[in-house]
């Protein structure tokens, strides 16, 4: 630990390090740690902060897989999770007051519903209680939002999605803004107390603002082993080169598709945050450089079976659980990605029976719209 360098492939690798530097630079951050998937990023991000009996306060509008990960598997580690309405600041304030809370967790732009978090407000609430704000920025990406600029302490990505963009490589990343004072918050003993597996060094005392991200590599990756393969790092590096261009096209296509769907008589509502009457519109204007996301949901009048049929009727859209691919993707969350949740949880996380999730790709918008039109008209 006295010299930087690659010791063993589970902890670090030169190709992966090139990707880590690129992602950290895109986020105006001090460092990052790439891992094998977005879920692994959440595990590695929370591991330095939590121990049995400690708690995460998280938005109820999270990706369905994250809700299951937090409330089932993390629970078996003794990590508790309280789910809150991320737009209800009194509820959040109350929840994070509990002395065992160690993290506030939200998505900048939620998957699937596109709810936008007020990052500045959340960071103020978290910092008042001495806990870090963790933001999953997967759906927005750095092309439209850099959460660290608004007070987020740790930023998380599923690089499987827009960052790689091609849907060919699973991956995740934990990014450290390097601003949180681990000594002046609640107890973060893994970072502030002597580490017996490294001859009693104290990470924060030794590494300062690199303490957290160094711990992610030196301890979390070493012992939990969720390393990104260098080949996936290479694929993600090539993908990131076109991130900005892709995001612009994703979002201008989404704009056209959302505006088509809102007028269709078989569609009840469209959750795209670019509509002025959408609850997230003002926050999206404030936090996003351009565009309003390209993953959103529609509610259809035809209910559970009709929603499934619309998915099956599509041809250009691929029926896939992924998002953020170059191809347009469609899925019915209630019967797939959110199936593990009970009906009430589904409703709360924006995946009710009549909801369809769309991830708008890079095809010509006329073709995308035509596919949806034919599918809806044939219902
Ligand atoms: C997909 C996704 C994850 C999980 O990422 P994987 O790479 O599939 O493990 C986490 N958060 C969000 C917002 C996602 O869309």
């Amino acid at each position: 630990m006295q010299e930087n360098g690659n010791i063993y492939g589970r902890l670090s690798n030169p190709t992966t390090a090139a990707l880590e530097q690129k992602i950290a630079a895109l986020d105006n951050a001090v460092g990052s740690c790439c891992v094998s998937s977005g879920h692994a990023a959440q595990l590695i991000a929370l591991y330095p902060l939590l121990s049995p009996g400690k708690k995460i306060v998280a938005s109820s509008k999270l990706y369905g897989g994250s809700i299951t990960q937090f409330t089932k598997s993390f629970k078996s580690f003794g990590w508790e999770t309280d789910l809150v309405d991320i737009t209800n600041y009194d509820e959040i304030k109350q929840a994070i007051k509990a002395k065992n809370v160690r993290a506030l967790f939200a998505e900048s732009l939620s998957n699937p519903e596109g709810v936008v978090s007020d990052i500045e407000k959340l960071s103020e609430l978290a910092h008042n209680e001495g806990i870090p704000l963790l933001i999953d920025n997967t759906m927005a990406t750095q092309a439209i939002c850099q959460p660290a600029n608004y007070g987020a302490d740790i930023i998380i990505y599923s690089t499987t999605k827009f960052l790689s963009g091609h849907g060919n490589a699973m991956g995740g990343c934990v990014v450290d803004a390097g601003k949180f004072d681990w000594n002046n918050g609640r107890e973060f003993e893994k970072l502030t107390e002597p580490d017996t597996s490294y001859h009693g060094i104290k990470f924060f005392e030794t590494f300062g603002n690199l303490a957290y991200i160094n711990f992610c590599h030196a301890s979390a990756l070493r012992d939990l082993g969720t390393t990104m393969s260098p080949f996936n790092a290479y694929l993600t590096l090539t993908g990131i080169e076109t991130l900005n261009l892709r995001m612009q096209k994703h979002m201008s296509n989404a704009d056209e598709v959302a505006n088509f769907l809102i007028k269709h008589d078989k569609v009840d509502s469209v959750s795209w945050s670019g509509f002025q009457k959408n609850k997230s519109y003002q926050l999206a204007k404030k936090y996003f450089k351009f565009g309003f996301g390209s993953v959103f949901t529609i509610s259809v009048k035809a209910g559970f079976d009709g929603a499934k049929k619309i998915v099956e009727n599509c041809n250009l859209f691929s029926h896939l659980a992924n998002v953020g691919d170059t191809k347009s993707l469609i899925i019915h969350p209630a019967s797939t990605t959110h199936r593990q949740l009970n009906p009430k949880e589904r409703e709360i996380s924006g995946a009710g029976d009549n909801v369809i999730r769309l991830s708008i790709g890079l095809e010509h918008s006329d073709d995308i719209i035509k596919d949806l039109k034919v599918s809806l008209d044939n219902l």
Side-chain angles (χ1 to χ4, degrees):
M1 296 279 272
Q2 283 165 352
E3 255 179 66
N4 274 330
N6 297 307
I7 301 161
Y8 185 63
R10 191 181 337 110
L11 282 72
S12 65
N13 165 278
T15 308
T16 311
L19 175 61
E20 286 165 342
Q21 284 167 20
K22 198 168 267 193
I23 291 177
L26 285 171
D27 265 308
N28 285 328
V30 296
S32 83
C33 178
C34 283
V35 293
S36 53
S37 68
H39 263 22
Q42 289 169 178
L43 171 67
I44 297 298
L46 289 164
Y47 177 74
L49 313 178
L50 296 174
S51 55
K54 300 298 191 296
K55 185 181 273 185
I56 309 150
V57 171
S59 168
S60 59
K61 302 268 193 219
L62 291 184
Y63 166 64
S66 302
I67 296 205
T68 309
Q69 184 191 36
F70 282 32
T71 57
K72 287 206 64 99
S73 294
F74 285 176
K75 194 163 194 245
S76 74
F77 300 163
W79 301 356
E80 307 286 330
T81 300
D82 270 357
L83 298 177
V84 293
D85 173 354
I86 207 65
T87 61
N88 183 338
Y89 306 122
D90 286 335
E91 187 186 350
I92 297 169
K93 225 184 218 168
Q94 210 51 43
I96 61 178
K97 266 206 179 93
K99 291 296 169 219
N100 62 342
V101 174
R102 291 294 177 273
L104 178 59
F105 190 105
E107 292 175 6
S108 51
L109 176 64
S110 78
N111 176 2
E113 224 186 348
V115 175
V116 180
S117 294
D118 191 340
I119 303 170
E120 255 172 7
K121 178 75 184 169
L122 296 179
S123 73
E124 183 193 309
L125 293 175
H127 296 160
N128 283 343
E129 288 295 341
I131 57 168
L133 173 65
L134 282 73
I135 292 287
D136 182 335
N137 198 36
T138 300
M139 290 294 107
T141 79
Q142 305 95 330
I144 65 164
C145 180
Q146 293 157 307
N149 295 353
Y150 302 102
D153 301 289
I154 314 290
I155 302 109
I156 288 150
Y157 293 95
S158 164
T159 62
T160 315
K161 316 288 171 56
F162 291 106
L163 288 189
S164 57
H166 36 53
N168 288 336
M170 293 292 301
C173 190
V174 182
V175 182
D176 184 4
K179 299 220 179 89
F180 196 81
D181 185 346
W182 302 107
N183 264 332
N184 278 340
R186 295 200 173 143
E187 287 162 7
F188 295 98
E189 63 277 1
K190 288 181 192 166
L191 301 173
T192 57
E193 296 301 310
D195 189 316
T196 52
S197 71
Y198 283 111
H199 301 291
I201 64 159
K202 297 177 181 172
F203 271 77
F204 193 41
E205 189 182 286
T206 310
F207 301 113
N209 69 350
L210 291 171
Y212 173 89
I213 207 66
N214 282 0
F215 186 87
C216 285
H217 281 279
S219 191
L221 264 191
R222 179 196 62 188
D223 296 341
L224 300 175
T226 58
T227 310
M228 177 184 272
S229 94
F231 187 68
N232 280 1
Y234 158 74
L235 289 173
T236 307
L237 275 163
T238 58
I240 276 188
E241 289 176 11
T242 56
L243 176 68
N244 198 51
L245 279 175
R246 281 187 286 110
M247 293 314 279
Q248 290 181 42
K249 182 70 176 166
H250 276 300
M251 293 195 187
S252 64
N253 274 352
D255 189 330
E256 292 188 46
V257 173
N259 276 293
F260 159 76
L261 287 167
I262 196 75
K263 292 186 209 110
H264 199 285
D265 61 6
K266 290 189 180 157
V267 175
D268 247 342
S269 64
V270 180
S271 76
W272 185 62
S273 64
F275 293 122
Q276 276 189 36
K277 64 173 173 41
N278 186 301
K279 276 188 251 160
S280 288
Y281 179 74
Q282 291 303 335
L283 288 173
K285 285 281 256 200
K286 171 175 176 182
Y287 287 109
F288 300 161
K289 267 186 228 147
F290 58 82
F292 295 91
S294 70
V295 176
F296 57 86
T297 59
I298 59 173
S299 304
V300 294
K301 292 178 180 155
F304 189 92
D305 292 331
K308 280 177 72 169
K309 189 93 186 94
I310 290 166
V311 171
E312 284 160 19
N313 282 353
C314 282
N315 274 318
L316 177 131
F317 275 82
S318 300
H319 182 190
L320 276 174
N322 191 24
V323 291
D325 199 307
T326 49
K327 296 175 296 216
S328 287
L329 312 174
I330 188 166
I331 203 160
H332 177 230
S335 60
T336 57
T337 54
H338 288 61
R339 196 179 183 136
Q340 293 92 330
L341 307 183
N342 65 44
K344 184 157 172 273
E345 287 171 326
R346 272 186 224 148
E347 204 65 53
I348 291 173
S349 64
D353 280 357
N354 60 343
V355 171
I356 294 171
R357 182 181 74 189
L358 301 170
S359 174
I360 306 303
L362 304 179
E363 304 92 341
H364 197 293
S365 57
D366 290 352
D367 294 332
I368 302 173
I369 288 169
K370 186 171 174 201
D371 197 40
L372 289 168
K373 184 173 185 324
V374 169
S375 168
L376 285 162
D377 292 348
N378 281 342
L379 192 65

